[in-house]
Amino acid sequence: MEVQDREFLRRWDGLGSRDASSRTEAMENICQEVMRKVEAIGPLPASVPSPPASGSPSNSELNGILAHLLMLSQRCPFEDVRERCICLLQTVQILQVSKVDTRTQSIFEDAFAALGRLDNVSLVMGFHPQYLDSFLRTQHYLLQMDGPLSLHYRHYICIMAAARHQCSYLVNLHVNDFLQVGGDPKWLNGLGEAPQKLQQLGELNKILAHRPWLLTKEHMKCLLKAEEHSWSLAELIHAVVLLTHYHSLASFTFGCGIMAEIHCDGGHTFRPPSLSQYCMCDIANGNGHSNHHDDPFGNQEVCGEVEVLMERMKQLQEGRDDEEASQEEMATRFEREKTESMLVVTAEDEECVPSRDISRHFEDPTYGYQDFSRSGEHVPTLRVQDYSWEDHGFSLVNRLYPDVGQMLDEKFQMAYNLTYNTMATHKDVDTSMLRRAIWNYIHCMFGIRYDDYDYGEINQLLDRSFKIYIKTMVCSPEKTTKRMYESFWRQFQHSEKVHVNLLLMEARMQAELLYALRAITRYMT
């Protein structure tokens, strides 16, 4: 449902209250409003085969309210609100959140109380409540708490970042939020209608999303030393964190096949094809298929892939104990893996052409990672010992945007260290080697090298179909397909694949941040 006016949104505020009586009062007001609108439209004559045109003002507004109620009946974490919404929808002839553990329930309630919605991203991340808690606290701080940037600037930057990867789901979410906090609707006509200060951010958005290693202190100087409409250092740090957050969140959104909420366009009518035959949010919500992928052909290769991967992990661990490669050999293996990663094809389909609704929010739609790799250029190497998040980036962010560095660090650590010591049906498995290979492979694609890591392990642990999925989701997420998602780790549970997507998202965000923060550091010194 699109936001038509701010008064409409305020009607629903009471449903996010933790006080049951306040929710009851708000629900009663909504019920009365719905019944007034239903009575105003009146019963349909028997000769009329279909409802009145949806474009009529009263009917259109009622449809919007009913769509919102339909969303609440399935997504609201408060049981009393869900039940009242279901009763009301049944009353007007239309036509839920499943039981979750106490911690996840509390996180869902907090998110709903803060935003008035429980979006599909949160539902999918609900597979991993420890991570979800960290993610939502960080995102809430970036978007709603005191900070260098005004609220409408924040949401517009989110729109710019999500549009860069043609992620209409996130774009539409923040278009609504932008309007709700008082943003000028004219800015939504295109980047050219936004203030010059935001327009100047377009180049940084483009490079950061696709080739962050090309960022230099000159890019930062253009923003910080503009004759007019210049950015302060604190504002720029806030903008960089938002851009990297939403570039990587677009990767997660496409990687999990997340679609529009049920009350939004495309959410309660015809749904466009997603990664799978179901929406991942339904699986997370207990309303989907089994957590295991079916293998109708009984493929023996598929049935043994987990055991093969576990055996390779065991052999690599034993090999580590036996001998250690020289620094020269380690450097050679990194360069080889970096070169090979550029040759991995990111998608089978034709080039994605963004719609006008999306492309108006950014410049130069042909600019991307794939064009870069095809040109035969090489990604330069950034050695972590020269510039790392832990030793350099963290302190810079925390100094200019207090508390955010700490929040980001906790989120990175949560994604990197998260484990249940399981692989498919196997328990008591140490997955640290596999998680490190995934994280370091992503950083390798961005030219980031860890001197103490043997990049020869990556080819042993990540097969080609998995590499294709990783590179597509990280570099060109809009091209991610159902086939890619289903072709890797076919015996693993959906929750494990979501875990992989969390790793990919956070590794990508940290890689982008490193290059942006390094450029800012060089400007400052």
Side-chain angles (χ1 to χ4, degrees), residues 183-197:
D184 187 344
K186 291 180 181 177
W187 296 10
L188 300 176
N189 292 331
L191 187 57
E193 297 290 328
Q196 186 66 30
K197 185 171 180 176

Side-chain angles (χ1 to χ4, degrees), residues 102-343:
T102 304
R103 179 173 187 180
T104 307
Q105 174 71 14
S106 176
I107 295 170
F108 282 173
E109 288 178 2
D110 288 342
F112 190 82
L115 297 173
R117 64 173 183 251
L118 186 59
D119 59 42
N120 288 341
V121 167
S122 297
L123 284 171
V124 174
M125 289 183 181
F127 274 128
H128 307 286
Q130 286 178 288
Y131 173 84
L132 175 62
D133 186 35
S134 177
F135 174 87
L136 289 177
R137 277 190 290 107
T138 303
Q139 185 167 266
H140 177 74
Y141 196 94
L142 291 174
L143 294 176
Q144 295 180 268
M145 301 300 286
D146 289 342
L149 294 173
S150 62
L151 295 182
H152 62 297
Y153 259 56
R154 300 181 200 192
H155 289 294
Y156 197 83
I157 291 169
C158 296
I159 293 168
M160 290 173 63
R164 191 70 237 180
H165 282 307
Q166 306 171 36
C167 188
S168 58
Y169 171 84
L170 292 176
V171 168
N172 292 334
L173 210 59
H174 286 281
V175 162
N176 287 345
D177 290 342
F178 172 78
L179 293 172
Q180 189 176 352
V181 299
D184 187 344
K186 291 180 181 177
W187 296 10
L188 300 176
N189 292 331
L191 187 57
E193 297 290 328
Q196 186 66 30
K197 185 171 180 176
L198 283 169
Q199 291 183 42
Q200 290 172 346
L201 203 63
E203 183 73 5
L204 176 62
N205 182 29
K206 178 179 78 172
I207 298 174
L208 200 52
H210 303 293
R211 308 176 198 175
W213 51 86
L214 296 182
L215 285 174
T216 68
K217 65 179 182 181
E218 295 303 320
H219 291 107
M220 303 307 170
K221 183 178 179 180
C222 289
L223 295 168
L224 295 164
K225 289 295 186 182
E227 292 184 4
E228 294 183 56
H229 318 294
S230 63
W231 292 73
S232 70
L233 272 170
E235 288 175 331
L236 185 57
I237 289 289
H238 195 170
V240 163
V241 173
L242 284 172
L243 289 172
T244 57
H245 179 83
Y246 278 91
H247 290 158
S248 57
L249 189 55
S251 285
F252 182 84
T253 300
F254 282 112
C256 291
I258 292 173
M259 298 182 294
E261 269 67 42
I262 196 166
H263 66 296
C264 299
D265 289 344
H268 57 280
T269 52
F270 171 74
R271 291 184 172 189
S274 68
L275 281 183
S276 209
Q277 297 169 345
Y278 34 72
C279 179
M280 187 66 78
C281 58
D282 288 329
I283 299 169
N285 204 28
N287 301 325
H289 302 293
S290 163
N291 269 357
H292 291 279
H293 293 293
D294 295 327
D295 179 26
F297 304 107
N299 190 312
Q300 293 300 312
E301 179 186 351
V302 173
C303 292
E305 69 174 352
V306 180
E307 289 73 18
V308 169
L309 183 54
M310 290 176 63
E311 180 60 29
R312 286 178 180 171
M313 290 165 60
K314 180 182 177 182
Q315 291 173 357
L316 285 171
Q317 186 59 55
E318 292 172 350
R320 280 181 181 176
D321 298 337
D322 293 341
E323 60 177 329
E324 186 173 324
S326 66
Q327 280 298 311
E328 292 75 11
E329 177 60 24
M330 298 270 267
T332 299
R333 290 175 184 177
F334 168 78
E335 291 298 333
R336 183 186 301 128
E337 189 59 51
K338 184 175 70 171
T339 301
E340 288 180 3
S341 73
M342 294 180 64
L343 302 177

Side-chain angles (χ1 to χ4, degrees), residues 365-407:
T366 61
Y367 189 92
Y369 184 99
Q370 189 171 21
D371 294 330
F372 168 84
S373 59
R374 280 176 176 171
S375 68
E377 298 176 49
H378 290 285
V379 180
T381 297
L382 184 160
R383 297 175 68 194
V384 169
Q385 69 181 53
D386 296 330
Y387 198 93
S388 70
W389 165 254
E390 292 80 6
D391 297 331
H392 306 89
F394 169 82
S395 58
L396 177 61
V397 173
N398 241 23
R399 187 165 84 248
L400 294 171
Y401 191 4
D403 298 327
V404 170
Q406 185 65 42
M407 289 183 172

